[in-house]
Amino acid sequence: GTGGLVDVETVSEQLLYEIGDPAHYLTPDIDTDFTQVKLAQAGRDRVSVHGAGGKAAPEKLKVSIAYQDGYLVTSTLTVCGPRAVETARSAGATILEKLRMAGAMPARTHVEVLGAGDTAPSVSGERAQPWDVVLRISAADPSRAVLDRFTCEFAPLVTAGQPGVTGYIGGRAKPRPVLAYWPTTVSREHVQPRSLVRSAREWIA
């Protein structure tokens, strides 16, 4: 009654989700092989799964670690008029050049012009030249102060930048901490397994 669906397609998707090597998917109990799995619809919201194989339990256990990796911020500007895409790219270059000259260039930057196809660069075909676009620049750096300096460069372009820069969307953006992902393995001897079984009501409480 939740609107969900269990069929061959949805089960296939779950089997493929975050699987690095389908012939060697490491779990605590087995080195699983999904390459020969066969699926068949066995009824309403029922799927038969068979054909999986595997080898003995791996010597090491997979560990997924999250760690703080500096800061990230994204700022946007609206640009309109003829040659809006070209104007937006020029505005983006202006911001980065000003940061470079000030000695405050973030470690990583990414410039996109939304409406010009930058979010789907591999899609082929002609695109009409839009009359309004959004310039979006993302920056990442270990220092929050560097990103605070980065966000200061957007508002001045509204009154002293390229013609057609019309809006500073949402006010000045604030840098936020970034949690990076590091998958690795750890020897079994360093792990003590423990199971905790509770009802849903107990977890909520």
Side-chain angles (χ1 to χ4, degrees):
T2 63
L5 175 67
V6 178
D7 63 7
V8 171
E9 285 74 21
T10 59
V11 174
S12 298
E13 182 178 11
Q14 288 301 308
L15 280 175
L16 295 172
Y17 182 68
E18 292 189 350
I19 300 296
D21 183 350
H24 296 283
Y25 182 71
L26 302 182
T27 73
D29 304 313
I30 189 173
D31 178 357
T32 317
D33 182 356
F34 290 144
T35 58
Q36 302 303 312
V37 166
K38 292 181 172 58
L39 307 177
Q41 197 73 38
R44 180 182 174 86
D45 288 330
R46 291 171 58 105
V47 173
S48 168
V49 182
H50 63 279
K55 301 179 177 63
E59 295 181 3
K60 294 186 176 183
L61 300 174
K62 179 183 176 182
V63 180
S64 298
I65 298 174
Y67 64 96
Q68 187 167 341
D69 186 25
Y71 299 87
L72 173 70
V73 67
T74 299
S75 289
T76 56
L77 283 171
T78 303
V79 181
C80 68
R83 301 167 65 184
V85 174
E86 182 180 336
T87 301
R89 296 199 193 284
S90 174
T94 296
I95 289 174
L96 297 184
E97 179 62 15
K98 290 176 68 176
L99 291 169
R100 187 192 66 78
M101 294 177 63
M105 177 64 77
R108 301 190 305 276
T109 59
H110 183 60
V111 180
E112 299 171 283
V113 178
L114 307 183
D118 286 5
T119 56
S122 62
V123 177
S124 60
E126 293 185 6
R127 296 183 174 91
Q129 287 297 316
W131 272 71
D132 52 358
V133 295
V134 173
L135 169 64
R136 180 169 68 184
I137 307 181
S138 300
D141 197 88
S143 169
R144 185 175 188 133
V146 168
L147 298 187
D148 284 335
R149 178 67 174 78
F150 164 79
T151 61
C152 291
E153 292 297 342
F154 282 74
L157 286 186
V158 177
T159 55
Q162 285 79 355
V165 177
T166 63
Y168 188 42
I169 302 174
R172 183 178 297 179
K174 296 181 179 179
R176 63 184 186 275
V178 173
L179 290 179
Y181 171 64
W182 180 41
T184 185
T185 57
V186 62
S187 297
R188 285 178 174 270
E189 62 192 49
H190 298 304
V191 179
Q192 295 298 323
R194 184 170 67 96
S195 297
L196 180 60
V197 180
R198 293 180 178 176
S199 67
R201 187 177 301 277
E202 290 174 313
W203 281 113
I204 294 174

PDB file of all heavy atoms in Angstrom, residues 92-107 109 146 149-150 153:
ATOM      1  N   GLY A  92      31.742  34.644 -15.545  1.00  0.00           N
ATOM      2  CA  GLY A  92      32.415  33.605 -14.758  1.00  0.00           C
ATOM      3  C   GLY A  92      33.916  33.749 -14.807  1.00  0.00           C
ATOM      4  O   GLY A  92      34.607  33.627 -13.781  1.00  0.00           O
ATOM      5  N   ALA A  93      34.447  34.024 -15.995  1.00  0.00           N
ATOM      6  CA  ALA A  93      35.894  34.213 -16.137  1.00  0.00           C
ATOM      7  C   ALA A  93      36.355  35.432 -15.351  1.00  0.00           C
ATOM      8  O   ALA A  93      37.460  35.434 -14.765  1.00  0.00           O
ATOM      9  CB  ALA A  93      36.258  34.352 -17.609  1.00  0.00           C
ATOM     10  N   THR A  94      35.534  36.470 -15.312  1.00  0.00           N
ATOM     11  CA  THR A  94      35.873  37.677 -14.553  1.00  0.00           C
ATOM     12  C   THR A  94      36.012  37.372 -13.070  1.00  0.00           C
ATOM     13  O   THR A  94      36.968  37.797 -12.405  1.00  0.00           O
ATOM     14  CB  THR A  94      34.797  38.758 -14.761  1.00  0.00           C
ATOM     15  OG1 THR A  94      34.778  39.142 -16.134  1.00  0.00           O
ATOM     16  CG2 THR A  94      35.085  39.984 -13.909  1.00  0.00           C
ATOM     17  N   ILE A  95      35.060  36.617 -12.535  1.00  0.00           N
ATOM     18  CA  ILE A  95      35.108  36.262 -11.120  1.00  0.00           C
ATOM     19  C   ILE A  95      36.380  35.479 -10.792  1.00  0.00           C
ATOM     20  O   ILE A  95      37.088  35.774  -9.823  1.00  0.00           O
ATOM     21  CB  ILE A  95      33.857  35.459 -10.740  1.00  0.00           C
ATOM     22  CG1 ILE A  95      32.635  36.373 -10.745  1.00  0.00           C
ATOM     23  CG2 ILE A  95      34.014  34.791  -9.373  1.00  0.00           C
ATOM     24  CD1 ILE A  95      31.322  35.651 -10.530  1.00  0.00           C
ATOM     25  N   LEU A  96      36.699  34.487 -11.606  1.00  0.00           N
ATOM     26  CA  LEU A  96      37.879  33.667 -11.334  1.00  0.00           C
ATOM     27  C   LEU A  96      39.165  34.476 -11.475  1.00  0.00           C
ATOM     28  O   LEU A  96      40.122  34.291 -10.711  1.00  0.00           O
ATOM     29  CB  LEU A  96      37.897  32.454 -12.262  1.00  0.00           C
ATOM     30  CG  LEU A  96      36.729  31.468 -12.098  1.00  0.00           C
ATOM     31  CD1 LEU A  96      36.927  30.264 -13.008  1.00  0.00           C
ATOM     32  CD2 LEU A  96      36.591  31.019 -10.647  1.00  0.00           C
ATOM     33  N   GLU A  97      39.204  35.376 -12.453  1.00  0.00           N
ATOM     34  CA  GLU A  97      40.399  36.201 -12.635  1.00  0.00           C
ATOM     35  C   GLU A  97      40.594  37.144 -11.450  1.00  0.00           C
ATOM     36  O   GLU A  97      41.728  37.359 -10.988  1.00  0.00           O
ATOM     37  CB  GLU A  97      40.301  36.983 -13.939  1.00  0.00           C
ATOM     38  CG  GLU A  97      41.486  37.911 -14.217  1.00  0.00           C
ATOM     39  CD  GLU A  97      42.813  37.177 -14.354  1.00  0.00           C
ATOM     40  OE1 GLU A  97      42.809  35.935 -14.526  1.00  0.00           O
ATOM     41  OE2 GLU A  97      43.865  37.850 -14.274  1.00  0.00           O
ATOM     42  N   LYS A  98      39.522  37.736 -10.947  1.00  0.00           N
ATOM     43  CA  LYS A  98      39.623  38.617  -9.787  1.00  0.00           C
ATOM     44  C   LYS A  98      40.125  37.851  -8.568  1.00  0.00           C
ATOM     45  O   LYS A  98      40.935  38.363  -7.778  1.00  0.00           O
ATOM     46  CB  LYS A  98      38.275  39.272  -9.495  1.00  0.00           C
ATOM     47  CG  LYS A  98      37.861  40.305 -10.547  1.00  0.00           C
ATOM     48  CD  LYS A  98      36.480  40.855 -10.266  1.00  0.00           C
ATOM     49  CE  LYS A  98      36.456  41.700  -9.005  1.00  0.00           C
ATOM     50  NZ  LYS A  98      35.113  42.304  -8.784  1.00  0.00           N
ATOM     51  N   LEU A  99      39.676  36.621  -8.400  1.00  0.00           N
ATOM     52  CA  LEU A  99      40.155  35.796  -7.287  1.00  0.00           C
ATOM     53  C   LEU A  99      41.633  35.470  -7.449  1.00  0.00           C
ATOM     54  O   LEU A  99      42.401  35.491  -6.480  1.00  0.00           O
ATOM     55  CB  LEU A  99      39.333  34.507  -7.204  1.00  0.00           C
ATOM     56  CG  LEU A  99      37.877  34.667  -6.770  1.00  0.00           C
ATOM     57  CD1 LEU A  99      37.111  33.365  -6.985  1.00  0.00           C
ATOM     58  CD2 LEU A  99      37.793  35.088  -5.297  1.00  0.00           C
ATOM     59  N   ARG A 100      42.023  35.156  -8.679  1.00  0.00           N
ATOM     60  CA  ARG A 100      43.427  34.845  -8.935  1.00  0.00           C
ATOM     61  C   ARG A 100      44.300  36.053  -8.609  1.00  0.00           C
ATOM     62  O   ARG A 100      45.346  35.923  -7.944  1.00  0.00           O
ATOM     63  CB  ARG A 100      43.631  34.426 -10.388  1.00  0.00           C
ATOM     64  CG  ARG A 100      45.045  33.933 -10.698  1.00  0.00           C
ATOM     65  CD  ARG A 100      45.262  33.804 -12.193  1.00  0.00           C
ATOM     66  NE  ARG A 100      45.221  35.094 -12.856  1.00  0.00           N
ATOM     67  CZ  ARG A 100      46.235  35.967 -12.835  1.00  0.00           C
ATOM     68  NH1 ARG A 100      47.356  35.704 -12.193  1.00  0.00           N
ATOM     69  NH2 ARG A 100      46.113  37.124 -13.480  1.00  0.00           N
ATOM     70  N   MET A 101      43.887  37.229  -9.047  1.00  0.00           N
ATOM     71  CA  MET A 101      44.673  38.438  -8.806  1.00  0.00           C
ATOM     72  C   MET A 101      44.732  38.779  -7.310  1.00  0.00           C
ATOM     73  O   MET A 101      45.711  39.352  -6.836  1.00  0.00           O
ATOM     74  CB  MET A 101      44.077  39.607  -9.591  1.00  0.00           C
ATOM     75  CG  MET A 101      44.174  39.452 -11.098  1.00  0.00           C
ATOM     76  SD  MET A 101      43.386  40.821 -11.999  1.00  0.00           S
ATOM     77  CE  MET A 101      44.401  42.198 -11.467  1.00  0.00           C
ATOM     78  N   ALA A 102      43.691  38.399  -6.567  1.00  0.00           N
ATOM     79  CA  ALA A 102      43.663  38.686  -5.132  1.00  0.00           C
ATOM     80  C   ALA A 102      44.380  37.620  -4.320  1.00  0.00           C
ATOM     81  O   ALA A 102      44.491  37.748  -3.095  1.00  0.00           O
ATOM     82  CB  ALA A 102      42.219  38.810  -4.666  1.00  0.00           C
ATOM     83  N   GLY A 103      44.863  36.561  -4.989  1.00  0.00           N
ATOM     84  CA  GLY A 103      45.536  35.481  -4.271  1.00  0.00           C
ATOM     85  C   GLY A 103      44.577  34.646  -3.449  1.00  0.00           C
ATOM     86  O   GLY A 103      44.966  34.083  -2.421  1.00  0.00           O
ATOM     87  N   ALA A 104      43.318  34.567  -3.893  1.00  0.00           N
ATOM     88  CA  ALA A 104      42.299  33.833  -3.135  1.00  0.00           C
ATOM     89  C   ALA A 104      41.587  32.814  -4.017  1.00  0.00           C
ATOM     90  O   ALA A 104      40.383  32.581  -3.868  1.00  0.00           O
ATOM     91  CB  ALA A 104      41.287  34.803  -2.538  1.00  0.00           C
ATOM     92  N   MET A 105      42.318  32.216  -4.954  1.00  0.00           N
ATOM     93  CA  MET A 105      41.711  31.229  -5.846  1.00  0.00           C
ATOM     94  C   MET A 105      41.440  29.927  -5.080  1.00  0.00           C
ATOM     95  O   MET A 105      42.335  29.360  -4.466  1.00  0.00           O
ATOM     96  CB  MET A 105      42.639  30.937  -7.028  1.00  0.00           C
ATOM     97  CG  MET A 105      42.114  29.855  -7.966  1.00  0.00           C
ATOM     98  SD  MET A 105      40.572  30.300  -8.795  1.00  0.00           S
ATOM     99  CE  MET A 105      41.191  31.420 -10.038  1.00  0.00           C
ATOM    100  N   PRO A 106      40.181  29.446  -5.075  1.00  0.00           N
ATOM    101  CA  PRO A 106      39.861  28.174  -4.413  1.00  0.00           C
ATOM    102  C   PRO A 106      40.603  27.010  -5.059  1.00  0.00           C
ATOM    103  O   PRO A 106      41.011  27.067  -6.221  1.00  0.00           O
ATOM    104  CB  PRO A 106      38.346  28.045  -4.608  1.00  0.00           C
ATOM    105  CG  PRO A 106      37.865  29.447  -4.843  1.00  0.00           C
ATOM    106  CD  PRO A 106      38.981  30.119  -5.586  1.00  0.00           C
ATOM    107  N   ALA A 107      40.759  25.952  -4.288  1.00  0.00           N
ATOM    108  CA  ALA A 107      41.479  24.777  -4.778  1.00  0.00           C
ATOM    109  C   ALA A 107      40.786  24.155  -5.985  1.00  0.00           C
ATOM    110  O   ALA A 107      41.436  23.694  -6.923  1.00  0.00           O
ATOM    111  CB  ALA A 107      41.617  23.749  -3.654  1.00  0.00           C
ATOM    112  N   THR A 109      37.290  24.672  -8.728  1.00  0.00           N
ATOM    113  CA  THR A 109      36.135  25.455  -9.164  1.00  0.00           C
ATOM    114  C   THR A 109      35.465  24.748 -10.335  1.00  0.00           C
ATOM    115  O   THR A 109      36.106  23.994 -11.075  1.00  0.00           O
ATOM    116  CB  THR A 109      36.531  26.877  -9.605  1.00  0.00           C
ATOM    117  OG1 THR A 109      37.474  26.782 -10.692  1.00  0.00           O
ATOM    118  CG2 THR A 109      37.154  27.660  -8.462  1.00  0.00           C
ATOM    119  N   VAL A 146      38.648  31.326   2.353  1.00  0.00           N
ATOM    120  CA  VAL A 146      38.838  31.464   0.901  1.00  0.00           C
ATOM    121  C   VAL A 146      37.486  31.467   0.197  1.00  0.00           C
ATOM    122  O   VAL A 146      37.249  32.249  -0.731  1.00  0.00           O
ATOM    123  CB  VAL A 146      39.733  30.324   0.364  1.00  0.00           C
ATOM    124  CG1 VAL A 146      39.699  30.279  -1.164  1.00  0.00           C
ATOM    125  CG2 VAL A 146      41.168  30.500   0.854  1.00  0.00           C
ATOM    126  N   ARG A 149      35.595  34.697   0.638  1.00  0.00           N
ATOM    127  CA  ARG A 149      36.110  35.691  -0.312  1.00  0.00           C
ATOM    128  C   ARG A 149      35.520  35.456  -1.694  1.00  0.00           C
ATOM    129  O   ARG A 149      35.174  36.417  -2.409  1.00  0.00           O
ATOM    130  CB  ARG A 149      37.635  35.602  -0.351  1.00  0.00           C
ATOM    131  CG  ARG A 149      38.315  36.538  -1.327  1.00  0.00           C
ATOM    132  CD  ARG A 149      38.139  37.999  -0.889  1.00  0.00           C
ATOM    133  NE  ARG A 149      38.900  38.898  -1.734  1.00  0.00           N
ATOM    134  CZ  ARG A 149      38.520  39.268  -2.946  1.00  0.00           C
ATOM    135  NH1 ARG A 149      37.383  38.803  -3.456  1.00  0.00           N
ATOM    136  NH2 ARG A 149      39.262  40.107  -3.653  1.00  0.00           N
ATOM    137  N   PHE A 150      35.377  34.209  -2.090  1.00  0.00           N
ATOM    138  CA  PHE A 150      34.785  33.841  -3.375  1.00  0.00           C
ATOM    139  C   PHE A 150      33.357  34.381  -3.493  1.00  0.00           C
ATOM    140  O   PHE A 150      32.971  34.950  -4.521  1.00  0.00           O
ATOM    141  CB  PHE A 150      34.804  32.317  -3.511  1.00  0.00           C
ATOM    142  CG  PHE A 150      33.905  31.758  -4.571  1.00  0.00           C
ATOM    143  CD1 PHE A 150      34.268  31.782  -5.901  1.00  0.00           C
ATOM    144  CD2 PHE A 150      32.681  31.189  -4.229  1.00  0.00           C
ATOM    145  CE1 PHE A 150      33.438  31.255  -6.889  1.00  0.00           C
ATOM    146  CE2 PHE A 150      31.844  30.657  -5.207  1.00  0.00           C
ATOM    147  CZ  PHE A 150      32.226  30.690  -6.529  1.00  0.00           C
ATOM    148  N   GLU A 153      32.463  38.075  -4.650  1.00  0.00           N
ATOM    149  CA  GLU A 153      32.695  38.566  -6.014  1.00  0.00           C
ATOM    150  C   GLU A 153      31.447  38.560  -6.883  1.00  0.00           C
ATOM    151  O   GLU A 153      31.502  39.011  -8.027  1.00  0.00           O
ATOM    152  CB  GLU A 153      33.785  37.719  -6.687  1.00  0.00           C
ATOM    153  CG  GLU A 153      35.168  37.883  -6.083  1.00  0.00           C
ATOM    154  CD  GLU A 153      35.705  39.302  -6.216  1.00  0.00           C
ATOM    155  OE1 GLU A 153      35.182  40.066  -7.046  1.00  0.00           O
ATOM    156  OE2 GLU A 153      36.646  39.641  -5.482  1.00  0.00           O
TER     157      GLU A 153
END
